[in-house]
Amino acid sequence: MSEKEDLAKQKAEAAAKAKAVALARKKAKEETAEKPEGEMDVAKQKAAAAAKAKAAALARKQAKEETAEKPEGEMDIAKQKAAAAAKAKAAALARKQAKEETAEKPEGEMDAAKQKAAAAAKAKAAALARKQAKEETAEKPEGEMEVAKQKAAAAAKAKAAALARKQAKEETAEKPEGEMDIAKQKAAAAAKAKAAAMARKQAKEEAAEKPEGEMEIAKQKAAAAAKAKAAAAAKAKAAAAAKNRTAVQESEEVDTPSEISPNQSKLDQIVSAIESHVGQGALLENYINRLSKDVPTLVANPDTYFSIAKFLRYDEQLDFSYLSEIHGTDFESHMEIYVHLHSFKMNQSVALKVKLDRDTPVIPSLVPLWSGANWPECEAYDLLGINFYEHPDLKRILLGEDWKGYPLRKDYEPYDVEV
């Protein structure tokens, strides 16, 4: 067939199409002129549907005739052009129909119509994209199919994001300030949920493609990363706490009191008795603790700690026969034992303290002097790691024997960060 015959055939087909469209419009006008408003809407819809069907049939017929005469290479190009033209025509008809419908509807119905139209457009675009992807993947080898899938996924994501942004702009343009904030929050929440769902889906797909050995390695790496992150967080927290912690006042008050404590004479009596019977260097220092009801406080040398305690227990004049409290404290630079004693004969309490090396905190047990020291010393051993030698049954009473570390130490880190 020559080029002139092709042109003549195309002109004839175009004239036939134009004539059919003109007849359809004329017929539609004549019918609508005679019908009431209710029937006109139905007639418009029927006419539009008939026009779409007729146009589609003509397009298919023309495509068949053209493809029957063209070689394979030109047929692919013709198919693509025809598909593009059909898409453009369908989009134009949809926009025209949407404009006609919205022009006749009140504001409330227009919002609903917009939402329906947007949903229909999304569904149609998604269906066309899936169809096109199937056609393309059916003709491509396996390597190109993977690339095509990735491109299609990226394009779908970009298209969905663009549609979401457009819809959000349209909605916020019509809403007052109060509703816009709520809409923004909902949109942000929806975006987060969508991103999380996509991440889970991608993780599942990747996991499904990996062999069992690689999956185990990935799990181990994830667990190790979680442990390292938790440990780093714990270290950072401990460092911040140590940095911000104020200096602890251990033995002296900052301000010197202007009045003498009523317990000062008793403190002098106790100190004099200890120095006479135990030795001049037995006490490192002594003071009245104004922050604890003016309790006389004795700071012992680790070597003379047990001797001083024994003297306080059995001296007839002092007779500190009751041990009310014993506990340990971690000051980061050293450990400290605090013993609170009471003498019913003197009607007086006294505090006995001793500082220990933090790396090797070892001190004699006071159980031979006061049986009430048994469990408090076990507790200090359990939670701080202070070793009381000559204790009759030193053991962990709160944690198991296989527990790693001492929870009341300032630098304690859990052995298993997931617990």
Coordinates of all heavy atoms in Angstrom, one line a residue, residues 298-388:
L298 N 33.2 8.1 114.8 CA 34.6 7.7 114.9 C 35.0 7.1 113.5 O 34.3 6.2 113.0 CB 34.7 6.7 116.0 CG 34.1 7.0 117.3 CD1 34.2 5.8 118.3 CD2 34.9 8.2 118.0
V299 N 36.1 7.6 113.0 CA 36.7 7.0 111.7 C 37.9 6.2 112.1 O 38.9 6.8 112.5 CB 37.0 8.1 110.7 CG1 37.5 7.5 109.4 CG2 35.8 9.0 110.4
A300 N 37.8 4.9 111.9 CA 38.9 4.0 112.4 C 39.8 3.7 111.3 O 39.5 3.7 110.1 CB 38.3 2.7 112.9
N301 N 41.0 3.3 111.6 CA 42.0 2.8 110.7 C 41.6 1.3 110.4 O 41.2 0.6 111.3 CB 43.4 2.8 111.4 CG 44.5 2.5 110.4 OD1 44.5 1.5 109.7 ND2 45.5 3.3 110.4
P302 N 41.7 0.9 109.1 CA 41.3 -0.5 108.8 C 42.0 -1.6 109.7 O 41.4 -2.6 110.0 CB 41.7 -0.7 107.3 CG 41.7 0.7 106.8 CD 42.1 1.6 107.9
D303 N 43.3 -1.3 110.1 CA 44.0 -2.2 111.0 C 43.5 -2.3 112.4 O 43.6 -3.3 113.1 CB 45.5 -1.9 111.0 CG 46.1 -2.0 109.6 OD1 45.6 -2.8 108.8 OD2 47.1 -1.3 109.3
T304 N 42.9 -1.2 112.8 CA 42.4 -1.1 114.2 C 40.9 -1.2 114.3 O 40.3 -1.0 115.4 CB 42.9 0.2 114.9 OG1 42.5 1.3 114.2 CG2 44.4 0.2 115.0
Y305 N 40.2 -1.4 113.2 CA 38.7 -1.4 113.1 C 38.1 -2.4 114.1 O 37.3 -2.1 114.9 CB 38.3 -1.6 111.7 CG 36.8 -2.0 111.5 CD1 35.8 -1.0 111.7 CD2 36.5 -3.3 111.2 CE1 34.5 -1.4 111.5 CE2 35.1 -3.6 111.0 CZ 34.1 -2.7 111.1 OH 32.8 -3.0 110.9
F306 N 38.6 -3.6 114.0 CA 38.0 -4.7 114.9 C 38.4 -4.4 116.3 O 37.5 -4.7 117.2 CB 38.5 -6.1 114.4 CG 37.9 -7.2 115.1 CD1 36.6 -7.6 114.8 CD2 38.5 -7.8 116.2 CE1 36.0 -8.7 115.5 CE2 37.9 -8.8 116.9 CZ 36.7 -9.3 116.5
S307 N 39.6 -4.0 116.6 CA 40.0 -3.7 118.0 C 39.1 -2.6 118.7 O 38.7 -2.8 119.8 CB 41.5 -3.3 118.1 OG 42.3 -4.3 117.5
I308 N 38.9 -1.6 117.9 CA 38.0 -0.5 118.4 C 36.6 -1.0 118.7 O 36.0 -0.7 119.7 CB 38.0 0.7 117.4 CG1 39.4 1.4 117.4 CG2 37.0 1.7 117.8 CD1 39.5 2.4 116.3
A309 N 36.1 -1.8 117.7 CA 34.7 -2.3 117.9 C 34.6 -3.2 119.1 O 33.6 -3.2 119.9 CB 34.3 -3.1 116.6
K310 N 35.7 -4.0 119.3 CA 35.7 -5.0 120.5 C 35.7 -4.2 121.8 O 35.0 -4.5 122.8 CB 36.9 -5.9 120.4 CG 36.9 -7.0 121.4 CD 38.1 -7.9 121.1 CE 38.2 -9.0 122.2 NZ 39.3 -9.9 122.0
F311 N 36.5 -3.1 121.8 CA 36.6 -2.3 123.0 C 35.3 -1.6 123.3 O 34.8 -1.6 124.5 CB 37.7 -1.2 122.8 CG 37.8 -0.3 124.0 CD1 38.4 -0.7 125.2 CD2 37.3 1.1 123.9 CE1 38.4 0.2 126.3 CE2 37.4 1.9 125.0 CZ 37.9 1.5 126.2
L312 N 34.6 -1.0 122.3 CA 33.3 -0.4 122.5 C 32.3 -1.4 123.0 O 31.4 -1.1 123.7 CB 32.8 0.2 121.2 CG 33.6 1.4 120.6 CD1 33.1 1.8 119.2 CD2 33.5 2.6 121.6
R313 N 32.4 -2.7 122.5 CA 31.4 -3.7 122.9 C 31.6 -4.2 124.4 O 30.6 -4.3 125.1 CB 31.6 -4.9 122.0 CG 30.8 -6.2 122.4 CD 29.3 -5.9 122.2 NE 28.5 -7.1 122.6 CZ 28.1 -7.4 123.8 NH1 28.4 -6.6 124.8 NH2 27.4 -8.5 124.0
Y314 N 32.8 -4.4 124.8 CA 33.1 -5.0 126.1 C 33.5 -4.1 127.2 O 33.7 -4.5 128.4 CB 34.0 -6.2 126.0 CG 33.5 -7.3 125.1 CD1 34.0 -7.6 123.9 CD2 32.4 -8.0 125.6 CE1 33.5 -8.6 123.1 CE2 31.8 -9.1 124.8 CZ 32.4 -9.4 123.6 OH 31.9 -10.4 122.8
D315 N 33.8 -2.8 127.0 CA 34.3 -1.9 128.0 C 33.1 -1.7 129.0 O 32.0 -1.4 128.6 CB 34.7 -0.6 127.4 CG 35.3 0.3 128.5 OD1 36.4 0.1 129.0 OD2 34.5 1.3 128.9
E316 N 33.4 -1.8 130.3 CA 32.3 -1.7 131.3 C 31.7 -0.3 131.3 O 30.5 -0.1 131.6 CB 32.8 -2.1 132.7 CG 33.2 -3.6 132.7 CD 33.7 -4.0 134.1 OE1 33.8 -3.1 135.0 OE2 34.0 -5.1 134.3
Q317 N 32.5 0.7 131.1 CA 32.0 2.1 131.2 C 31.2 2.5 129.9 O 30.2 3.2 130.0 CB 33.2 3.1 131.3 CG 34.0 2.9 132.6 CD 33.1 3.1 133.9 OE1 32.3 4.0 133.9 NE2 33.3 2.3 134.9
L318 N 31.7 2.0 128.8 CA 31.0 2.3 127.5 C 29.8 1.4 127.2 O 28.7 1.8 127.1 CB 32.0 2.3 126.4 CG 33.2 3.2 126.5 CD1 34.1 3.1 125.3 CD2 32.7 4.7 126.7
D319 N 30.1 0.1 127.1 CA 29.1 -1.0 127.0 C 28.1 -0.7 125.8 O 26.9 -0.6 126.0 CB 28.3 -1.1 128.3 CG 27.4 -2.4 128.3 OD1 27.8 -3.3 127.5 OD2 26.4 -2.4 129.0
F320 N 28.7 -0.6 124.6 CA 27.8 -0.5 123.4 C 27.4 -1.9 123.0 O 28.0 -2.5 122.1 CB 28.6 0.2 122.2 CG 28.7 1.7 122.5 CD1 29.9 2.2 123.1 CD2 27.7 2.6 122.1 CE1 30.0 3.6 123.3 CE2 27.8 3.9 122.3 CZ 29.0 4.4 122.9
S321 N 26.3 -2.4 123.6 CA 25.9 -3.8 123.5 C 25.0 -4.0 122.3 O 24.7 -5.2 122.0 CB 25.3 -4.3 124.8 OG 24.2 -3.5 125.1
Y322 N 24.4 -2.9 121.7 CA 23.4 -3.1 120.7 C 23.9 -2.5 119.4 O 24.3 -1.4 119.3 CB 22.1 -2.4 121.1 CG 21.0 -2.5 120.1 CD1 20.5 -3.7 119.7 CD2 20.5 -1.3 119.5 CE1 19.5 -3.7 118.7 CE2 19.5 -1.3 118.6 CZ 19.0 -2.6 118.2 OH 18.0 -2.6 117.2
L323 N 23.9 -3.4 118.3 CA 24.3 -3.0 117.0 C 22.9 -2.8 116.2 O 22.2 -3.7 116.0 CB 25.1 -4.0 116.3 CG 25.6 -3.7 114.9 CD1 27.0 -4.2 114.6 CD2 24.7 -4.2 113.8
S324 N 22.6 -1.6 115.9 CA 21.3 -1.3 115.2 C 21.4 -1.2 113.7 O 20.4 -1.5 113.0 CB 20.7 0.0 115.7 OG 21.6 1.1 115.4
E325 N 22.6 -1.0 113.1 CA 22.7 -0.9 111.7 C 24.2 -1.1 111.2 O 25.1 -0.7 111.9 CB 22.2 0.5 111.2 CG 22.3 0.7 109.8 CD 21.8 2.1 109.4 OE1 21.5 2.9 110.3 OE2 21.9 2.4 108.2
I326 N 24.3 -1.7 110.1 CA 25.6 -1.8 109.4 C 25.4 -1.8 107.9 O 24.6 -2.6 107.4 CB 26.4 -3.0 109.9 CG1 27.8 -3.1 109.1 CG2 25.7 -4.3 109.8 CD1 28.8 -4.1 109.7
H327 N 26.0 -1.0 107.2 CA 25.9 -1.0 105.7 C 27.1 -0.4 105.0 O 28.0 0.2 105.7 CB 24.6 -0.1 105.3 CG 24.8 1.3 105.5 ND1 24.2 1.9 106.6 CD2 25.4 2.3 104.9 CE1 24.5 3.2 106.6 NE2 25.2 3.5 105.5
G328 N 27.2 -0.7 103.7 CA 28.4 -0.3 102.9 C 27.9 0.8 101.9 O 26.8 0.8 101.5
T329 N 28.9 1.6 101.4 CA 28.7 2.6 100.4 C 29.8 2.7 99.5 O 31.0 2.6 99.9 CB 28.5 4.0 101.1 OG1 27.4 3.9 102.1 CG2 28.1 5.1 100.1
D330 N 29.5 2.9 98.2 CA 30.6 3.1 97.2 C 30.7 4.5 96.9 O 29.8 5.2 96.4 CB 30.2 2.3 95.9 CG 31.2 2.5 94.8 OD1 32.3 2.9 95.1 OD2 30.9 2.1 93.6
F331 N 31.9 5.1 97.2 CA 32.1 6.5 96.9 C 33.0 6.7 95.7 O 33.5 7.8 95.4 CB 32.9 7.2 98.1 CG 32.0 7.5 99.3 CD1 31.9 6.6 100.3 CD2 31.2 8.6 99.3 CE1 31.0 6.8 101.4 CE2 30.3 8.9 100.4 CZ 30.3 8.0 101.4
E332 N 33.1 5.7 94.8 CA 33.9 5.6 93.6 C 35.4 5.7 93.8 O 36.1 5.0 93.2 CB 33.4 6.8 92.7 CG 32.0 6.6 92.1 CD 31.6 7.6 91.1 OE1 31.5 8.8 91.5 OE2 31.4 7.3 89.9
S333 N 35.8 6.5 94.8 CA 37.3 6.6 95.1 C 37.6 5.5 96.2 O 38.8 5.1 96.3 CB 37.6 8.0 95.6 OG 36.9 8.3 96.8
H334 N 36.6 5.1 96.9 CA 36.8 4.1 98.0 C 35.5 3.5 98.4 O 34.4 4.1 98.1 CB 37.6 4.7 99.2 CG 36.8 5.8 99.9 ND1 36.7 7.1 99.4 CD2 36.0 5.7 101.0 CE1 35.9 7.8 100.2 NE2 35.4 7.0 101.2
M335 N 35.5 2.4 99.2 CA 34.4 1.9 99.8 C 34.4 2.3 101.3 O 35.4 2.6 101.9 CB 34.4 0.3 99.8 CG 34.2 -0.2 98.4 SD 32.6 -0.1 97.8 CE 32.8 -1.0 96.2
E336 N 33.2 2.3 101.9 CA 33.1 2.7 103.3 C 32.1 1.8 104.0 O 31.0 1.5 103.5 CB 32.7 4.2 103.4 CG 32.7 4.7 104.8 CD 32.4 6.2 104.9 OE1 33.3 7.0 104.7 OE2 31.2 6.5 105.1
I337 N 32.4 1.4 105.3 CA 31.5 0.6 106.1 C 31.0 1.6 107.2 O 31.9 2.3 107.8 CB 32.2 -0.6 106.7 CG1 32.6 -1.6 105.6 CG2 31.3 -1.3 107.8 CD1 31.4 -2.2 105.0
Y338 N 29.7 1.6 107.5 CA 29.2 2.4 108.5 C 28.4 1.5 109.5 O 27.6 0.7 109.2 CB 28.2 3.4 107.9 CG 27.4 4.3 108.9 CD1 27.9 5.6 109.2 CD2 26.3 3.9 109.5 CE1 27.3 6.4 110.1 CE2 25.6 4.7 110.4 CZ 26.1 6.0 110.7 OH 25.4 6.8 111.6
V339 N 28.9 1.6 110.8 CA 28.3 0.8 111.9 C 27.7 1.7 112.9 O 28.3 2.7 113.4 CB 29.3 -0.1 112.6 CG1 28.7 -1.0 113.6 CG2 30.1 -0.9 111.5
H340 N 26.4 1.5 113.2 CA 25.7 2.3 114.2 C 25.5 1.5 115.5 O 24.8 0.5 115.5 CB 24.3 2.8 113.7 CG 23.7 3.9 114.5 ND1 23.0 3.7 115.6 CD2 23.8 5.3 114.3 CE1 22.6 4.9 116.0 NE2 23.1 5.9 115.3
L341 N 26.0 2.0 116.6 CA 25.9 1.3 117.9 C 25.2 2.1 119.0 O 25.2 3.3 118.8 CB 27.4 1.0 118.4 CG 28.3 0.2 117.5 CD1 29.7 0.2 118.0 CD2 27.8 -1.2 117.2
H342 N 24.7 1.4 120.0 CA 24.0 2.1 121.0 C 24.3 1.5 122.4 O 24.4 0.3 122.6 CB 22.4 2.1 120.8 CG 21.7 2.9 121.8 ND1 21.6 4.3 121.7 CD2 21.0 2.5 123.0 CE1 20.9 4.7 122.8 NE2 20.5 3.7 123.5
S343 N 24.6 2.4 123.4 CA 24.9 2.0 124.8 C 23.7 2.4 125.7 O 23.4 3.6 125.8 CB 26.1 2.7 125.3 OG 26.3 2.5 126.6
F344 N 23.1 1.4 126.2 CA 21.9 1.7 127.1 C 22.5 2.2 128.5 O 21.8 3.0 129.2 CB 21.1 0.4 127.4 CG 20.4 -0.1 126.2 CD1 21.0 -1.1 125.4 CD2 19.3 0.5 125.7 CE1 20.3 -1.6 124.2 CE2 18.6 0.0 124.6 CZ 19.2 -1.0 123.8
K345 N 23.7 1.9 128.9 CA 24.3 2.4 130.1 C 24.5 3.9 130.0 O 24.2 4.6 130.9 CB 25.5 1.6 130.4 CG 26.2 2.1 131.7 CD 27.4 1.3 132.0 CE 27.1 -0.1 132.5 NZ 28.3 -0.8 133.0
M346 N 25.1 4.3 128.9 CA 25.4 5.7 128.7 C 24.2 6.5 128.1 O 24.2 7.7 128.1 CB 26.6 5.9 127.7 CG 27.9 5.4 128.2 SD 29.2 5.6 127.0 CE 29.3 7.4 127.0
N347 N 23.2 5.7 127.6 CA 22.0 6.3 126.9 C 22.6 7.2 125.7 O 22.2 8.3 125.5 CB 21.2 7.2 127.8 CG 19.8 7.5 127.1 OD1 19.4 6.9 126.2 ND2 19.2 8.6 127.6
Q348 N 23.5 6.6 124.9 CA 24.1 7.3 123.9 C 24.4 6.4 122.7 O 24.7 5.2 122.8 CB 25.5 7.9 124.4 CG 26.3 8.6 123.4 CD 25.5 9.9 122.9 OE1 25.0 10.6 123.7 NE2 25.5 10.1 121.6
S349 N 24.3 7.0 121.5 CA 24.7 6.2 120.2 C 26.0 6.7 119.7 O 26.4 7.9 120.0 CB 23.6 6.5 119.2 OG 22.3 5.9 119.6
V350 N 26.6 5.9 118.9 CA 27.9 6.3 118.3 C 28.0 5.6 116.9 O 27.4 4.5 116.7 CB 29.1 5.8 119.2 CG1 29.2 4.3 119.2 CG2 30.4 6.5 118.7
A351 N 28.6 6.3 116.0 CA 28.8 5.7 114.6 C 30.3 5.4 114.4 O 31.2 6.2 114.7 CB 28.4 6.7 113.6
L352 N 30.6 4.2 114.0 CA 31.9 3.7 113.7 C 32.1 3.5 112.2 O 31.3 2.8 111.6 CB 32.3 2.4 114.4 CG 33.6 1.8 114.2 CD1 34.7 2.7 114.6 CD2 33.7 0.5 114.9
K353 N 33.0 4.3 111.6 CA 33.2 4.2 110.1 C 34.6 3.7 109.8 O 35.6 4.0 110.5 CB 32.9 5.5 109.5 CG 31.5 6.1 109.7 CD 31.4 7.5 109.3 CE 31.5 7.7 107.8 NZ 31.2 9.1 107.4
V354 N 34.8 3.1 108.6 CA 36.1 2.7 108.1 C 36.1 2.7 106.6 O 35.2 2.3 106.0 CB 36.5 1.3 108.6 CG1 35.5 0.2 108.1 CG2 37.9 0.9 108.2
K355 N 37.2 3.3 106.0 CA 37.4 3.4 104.6 C 38.2 2.2 104.1 O 39.2 1.9 104.7 CB 38.0 4.7 104.2 CG 37.2 5.9 104.6 CD 37.9 7.2 104.3 CE 37.1 8.4 104.7 NZ 37.8 9.7 104.4
L356 N 37.7 1.6 102.9 CA 38.4 0.5 102.3 C 38.8 0.7 100.9 O 38.3 1.6 100.2 CB 37.4 -0.7 102.4 CG 36.8 -1.1 103.7 CD1 35.8 -2.2 103.5 CD2 37.8 -1.5 104.7
D357 N 39.9 0.0 100.5 CA 40.3 0.0 99.1 C 39.2 -0.5 98.2 O 38.7 -1.6 98.5 CB 41.6 -0.8 99.0 CG 42.1 -0.7 97.5 OD1 42.3 0.3 97.0 OD2 42.2 -1.8 96.9
R358 N 38.9 0.2 97.2 CA 37.8 -0.2 96.3 C 38.0 -1.4 95.5 O 37.1 -2.2 95.2 CB 37.4 1.0 95.4 CG 36.1 0.8 94.7 CD 35.7 2.1 93.9 NE 34.4 2.0 93.3 CZ 34.2 1.5 92.1 NH1 35.2 0.9 91.4 NH2 32.9 1.4 91.6
D359 N 39.3 -1.6 95.1 CA 39.6 -2.8 94.3 C 39.6 -4.1 95.1 O 39.2 -5.2 94.6 CB 40.9 -2.6 93.6 CG 40.9 -1.5 92.6 OD1 39.8 -1.2 92.0 OD2 41.9 -0.8 92.4
T360 N 40.1 -4.0 96.4 CA 40.1 -5.2 97.2 C 39.5 -4.8 98.6 O 40.2 -4.7 99.6 CB 41.5 -5.7 97.4 OG1 42.4 -4.7 97.9 CG2 42.1 -6.3 96.1
P361 N 38.2 -4.6 98.7 CA 37.6 -4.3 99.9 C 37.4 -5.5 100.9 O 36.5 -6.3 100.8 CB 36.2 -3.7 99.5 CG 35.9 -4.5 98.2 CD 37.2 -4.8 97.6
V362 N 38.3 -5.6 101.8 CA 38.4 -6.7 102.8 C 38.4 -6.1 104.2 O 39.2 -5.2 104.5 CB 39.6 -7.6 102.6 CG1 39.6 -8.7 103.6 CG2 39.5 -8.1 101.1
I363 N 37.6 -6.6 105.1 CA 37.6 -6.1 106.5 C 37.1 -7.3 107.4 O 36.4 -8.1 107.0 CB 36.6 -4.9 106.6 CG1 36.9 -4.1 107.9 CG2 35.2 -5.3 106.5 CD1 38.1 -3.3 107.8
P364 N 37.5 -7.3 108.7 CA 37.1 -8.3 109.6 C 35.6 -8.3 109.9 O 35.0 -7.2 109.9 CB 37.8 -8.1 110.9 CG 39.0 -7.2 110.5 CD 38.6 -6.4 109.3
S365 N 35.0 -9.4 110.1 CA 33.5 -9.5 110.4 C 33.3 -9.1 111.8 O 34.1 -9.4 112.7 CB 33.0 -10.9 110.1 OG 31.7 -11.0 110.6
L366 N 32.1 -8.5 112.1 CA 31.7 -8.1 113.5 C 30.7 -9.1 114.1 O 30.2 -8.9 115.2 CB 31.1 -6.7 113.5 CG 32.0 -5.5 113.0 CD1 31.3 -4.2 113.2 CD2 33.3 -5.5 113.8
V367 N 30.5 -10.2 113.4 CA 29.6 -11.2 113.9 C 30.0 -11.8 115.2 O 29.2 -12.1 116.1 CB 29.3 -12.3 112.8 CG1 28.4 -13.5 113.4 CG2 28.7 -11.7 111.6
P368 N 31.4 -12.0 115.4 CA 31.8 -12.5 116.7 C 31.5 -11.6 117.9 O 31.4 -12.0 119.0 CB 33.3 -12.7 116.6 CG 33.5 -12.9 115.1 CD 32.5 -12.0 114.4
L369 N 31.3 -10.3 117.6 CA 31.0 -9.3 118.6 C 29.4 -9.1 118.8 O 28.9 -9.0 119.9 CB 31.7 -8.0 118.4 CG 33.2 -8.1 118.2 CD1 33.7 -6.7 117.8 CD2 33.9 -8.6 119.4
W370 N 28.8 -8.9 117.6 CA 27.3 -8.7 117.6 C 26.7 -9.7 116.6 O 27.0 -9.6 115.4 CB 27.0 -7.3 117.2 CG 27.4 -6.2 118.1 CD1 26.7 -5.8 119.2 CD2 28.6 -5.4 118.0 NE1 27.4 -4.8 119.9 CE2 28.6 -4.5 119.1 CE3 29.6 -5.4 117.1 CZ2 29.6 -3.6 119.4 CZ3 30.6 -4.4 117.3 CH2 30.6 -3.6 118.5
S371 N 25.9 -10.6 117.0 CA 25.3 -11.6 116.0 C 24.4 -10.9 115.0 O 24.1 -11.4 114.0 CB 24.5 -12.6 116.8 OG 23.5 -12.0 117.6
G372 N 23.9 -9.7 115.4 CA 23.0 -8.9 114.4 C 23.7 -8.4 113.2 O 23.1 -7.9 112.3
A373 N 25.1 -8.5 113.2 CA 25.8 -8.1 112.0 C 25.8 -9.2 110.9 O 26.3 -8.9 109.8 CB 27.3 -7.8 112.4
N374 N 25.3 -10.3 111.1 CA 25.3 -11.5 110.2 C 24.7 -11.1 108.8 O 25.4 -11.1 107.8 CB 24.6 -12.7 110.8 CG 24.8 -13.9 110.0 OD1 25.1 -13.9 108.8 ND2 24.7 -15.1 110.7
W375 N 23.4 -10.8 108.8 CA 22.8 -10.6 107.5 C 23.2 -9.2 106.9 O 23.3 -9.2 105.7 CB 21.3 -10.7 107.7 CG 20.8 -12.1 107.8 CD1 20.9 -13.0 108.8 CD2 20.2 -12.9 106.7 NE1 20.4 -14.2 108.5 CE2 20.0 -14.2 107.2 CE3 19.9 -12.6 105.4 CZ2 19.5 -15.2 106.4 CZ3 19.4 -13.6 104.6 CH2 19.1 -14.9 105.1
P376 N 23.4 -8.1 107.7 CA 23.8 -6.9 107.0 C 25.1 -7.0 106.3 O 25.4 -6.5 105.2 CB 23.9 -5.9 108.2 CG 22.9 -6.4 109.2 CD 23.0 -7.9 109.1
E377 N 26.1 -7.8 106.9 CA 27.4 -8.1 106.2 C 27.2 -8.9 104.9 O 27.8 -8.7 103.9 CB 28.3 -8.7 107.2 CG 28.8 -7.8 108.2 CD 29.9 -8.4 109.2 OE1 30.1 -9.6 109.1 OE2 30.5 -7.6 110.0
C378 N 26.2 -9.9 105.0 CA 25.9 -10.7 103.8 C 25.4 -9.8 102.7 O 25.7 -9.9 101.5 CB 25.0 -11.8 104.1 SG 25.7 -13.2 105.0
E379 N 24.5 -8.8 103.1 CA 23.9 -7.9 102.1 C 25.0 -7.0 101.5 O 25.0 -6.8 100.3 CB 22.9 -7.0 102.8 CG 22.2 -6.1 101.8 CD 21.2 -5.2 102.5 OE1 21.3 -5.0 103.7 OE2 20.2 -4.8 101.9
A380 N 25.9 -6.5 102.3 CA 27.0 -5.7 101.7 C 27.9 -6.5 100.8 O 28.4 -6.0 99.8 CB 27.8 -5.1 102.9
Y381 N 28.1 -7.8 101.1 CA 28.9 -8.6 100.3 C 28.2 -8.9 99.0 O 28.7 -8.9 97.9 CB 29.2 -10.0 101.0 CG 29.6 -11.1 100.1 CD1 30.9 -11.1 99.6 CD2 28.8 -12.1 99.8 CE1 31.4 -12.1 98.8 CE2 29.2 -13.1 98.9 CZ 30.5 -13.1 98.4 OH 30.9 -14.1 97.6
D382 N 26.8 -9.1 99.0 CA 26.0 -9.4 97.9 C 25.9 -8.3 96.9 O 26.1 -8.5 95.7 CB 24.6 -9.8 98.4 CG 23.8 -10.4 97.3 OD1 24.3 -10.7 96.2 OD2 22.6 -10.7 97.5
L383 N 25.7 -7.1 97.4 CA 25.5 -5.9 96.5 C 26.7 -5.0 96.2 O 26.7 -4.3 95.3 CB 24.4 -5.1 97.2 CG 23.0 -5.8 97.4 CD1 22.0 -4.8 98.1 CD2 22.4 -6.3 96.1
L384 N 27.7 -5.1 97.1 CA 28.9 -4.3 96.9 C 30.2 -5.0 96.7 O 31.2 -4.5 96.3 CB 29.1 -3.3 98.0 CG 28.0 -2.1 98.1 CD1 28.0 -1.5 99.5 CD2 28.3 -1.1 97.1
G385 N 30.2 -6.3 97.0 CA 31.4 -7.1 96.9 C 32.4 -6.9 98.0 O 33.6 -7.2 97.8
I386 N 32.0 -6.4 99.2 CA 32.9 -6.3 100.3 C 33.0 -7.6 101.0 O 32.0 -8.3 101.4 CB 32.4 -5.2 101.3 CG1 32.3 -3.9 100.6 CG2 33.3 -5.1 102.5 CD1 31.6 -2.8 101.4
N387 N 34.3 -8.0 101.2 CA 34.5 -9.4 101.8 C 34.8 -9.2 103.3 O 35.7 -8.5 103.7 CB 35.7 -10.0 101.1 CG 36.0 -11.4 101.5 OD1 35.1 -12.0 102.2 ND2 37.1 -12.0 101.1
F388 N 34.0 -9.9 104.1 CA 34.1 -9.9 105.6 C 34.7 -11.2 106.0 O 34.0 -12.2 106.0 CB 32.7 -9.7 106.3 CG 32.1 -8.4 105.9 CD1 31.3 -8.2 104.8 CD2 32.3 -7.2 106.7 CE1 30.7 -7.0 104.5 CE2 31.7 -6.0 106.5 CZ 30.9 -5.9 105.3

